[in-house]
Amino acid sequence: MKEQLLFDYLSTFITLTTEEKDILVSKLTYRSYLKGQYLVQQGDICLYDSFVVKGCLRTFHVDPEGHEHIVRFAIENWWTADMGSFINRTPADYNVQCLEPTEVLQFSYDTLQELFALIPSFERFFRIIVQNAFVASEKRIVRNFSLPAKERYLIFSDLYPQLEQRVPQYMIASYLGITKQYLSEIRNQLANR
């Protein structure tokens, strides 16, 4: 049961009754995507907040010159969406693309609002994860402004060791704000010490 993965994750933050779990299951949408498919594309409205059951995704922006800028990855037990678009119902600034065959459980904006009213602890859960995401984002901004690339890479490797084997190096370089050649140099330096 794919929903059990979500319930196991939720249980680290909140306790749900059997009735509340039944309500959640009745409101979930399960989707599977192929490698390369998009959950949302830049310029479209992001219709769902997605809990990753299986797979790996990237969230990125394409600038006017056509350069990609990766802002986050998502793997199992992580959430992904263009939150600005999802919440405000405005065109997405980001693309969310599957890097592997992916399975997600999705909530529409209206469904989430309904669930927040029906299950107050579920709203509390979302507040907690949004706060945690905000703190992580602020830390990343400070690291990008204040630390050399090698230190940023070491922190990335330490925080997300499972991504190293699943994400192409040029995407990790984009996430770190460096070229793939420079990331290769950093990795060679670390391997030779």
Side-chain angles (χ1 to χ4, degrees):
M1 180 164 111
K2 294 168 182 21
E3 296 86 6
Q4 190 58 48
L5 294 171
L6 176 61
F7 295 147
D8 291 346
Y9 177 73
L10 292 172
S11 71
T12 63
F13 298 92
I14 59 173
T15 302
L16 295 173
T17 67
T18 301
E19 180 184 353
E20 290 170 332
K21 289 179 181 179
D22 290 343
I23 293 169
L24 269 176
V25 168
S26 74
K27 303 293 183 184
L28 284 174
T29 301
Y30 167 80
R31 292 273 317 262
S32 63
Y33 293 88
L34 301 172
K35 179 179 178 178
Q37 280 190 294
Y38 289 80
L39 274 67
V40 65
Q41 287 186 279
Q42 202 168 317
D44 293 343
I45 306 292
C46 182
L47 300 176
Y48 299 100
D49 195 3
S50 300
F51 176 77
V52 182
V53 173
K54 178 183 175 192
C56 182
L57 304 97
R58 67 177 176 146
T59 300
F60 65 102
H61 175 80
V62 179
D63 67 24
E65 289 79 40
H67 300 112
E68 294 181 358
H69 304 277
I70 296 177
V71 295
R72 82 180 65 81
F73 296 103
I75 58 173
E76 293 81 9
N77 290 333
W78 293 12
W79 293 83
T80 191
D82 179 315
M83 287 308 287
S85 173
F86 178 74
I87 292 168
N88 299 314
R89 311 240 178 120
T90 55
D93 292 318
Y94 302 104
N95 300 283
V96 180
Q97 183 185 34
C98 301
L99 300 177
E100 300 172 352
T102 298
E103 298 175 18
V104 294
L105 297 172
Q106 296 180 317
F107 296 94
S108 71
Y109 179 83
D110 291 337
T111 298
L112 269 183
Q113 299 312 306
E114 184 182 350
L115 287 169
F116 293 161
L118 293 170
I119 309 170
S121 62
F122 194 59
E123 183 172 32
R124 179 176 168 270
F125 160 76
F126 265 91
R127 177 182 51 79
I128 291 168
I129 65 166
V130 168
Q131 287 172 334
N132 290 344
F134 180 77
V135 169
S137 179
E138 284 189 321
K139 286 183 178 182
R140 180 170 174 226
I141 290 169
V142 168
R143 284 193 301 266
N144 284 355
F145 286 146
S146 63
L147 294 178
K150 183 177 178 181
E151 294 303 314
R152 294 195 312 266
Y153 172 70
L154 289 169
I155 290 169
F156 173 86
S157 296
D158 187 49
L159 289 174
Y160 312 113
Q162 64 277 37
L163 288 175
E164 284 272 354
Q165 306 307 314
R166 296 174 74 175
V167 175
Q169 292 301 303
Y170 76 91
M171 290 185 187
I172 293 172
S174 172
Y175 176 84
L176 296 171
I178 59 177
T179 65
K180 63 183 177 182
Q181 293 82 0
Y182 191 47
L183 177 58
S184 182
E185 288 177 31
I186 291 169
R187 295 180 81 223
N188 286 335
Q189 289 172 6
L190 293 170
N192 292 327
R193 65 175 176 154

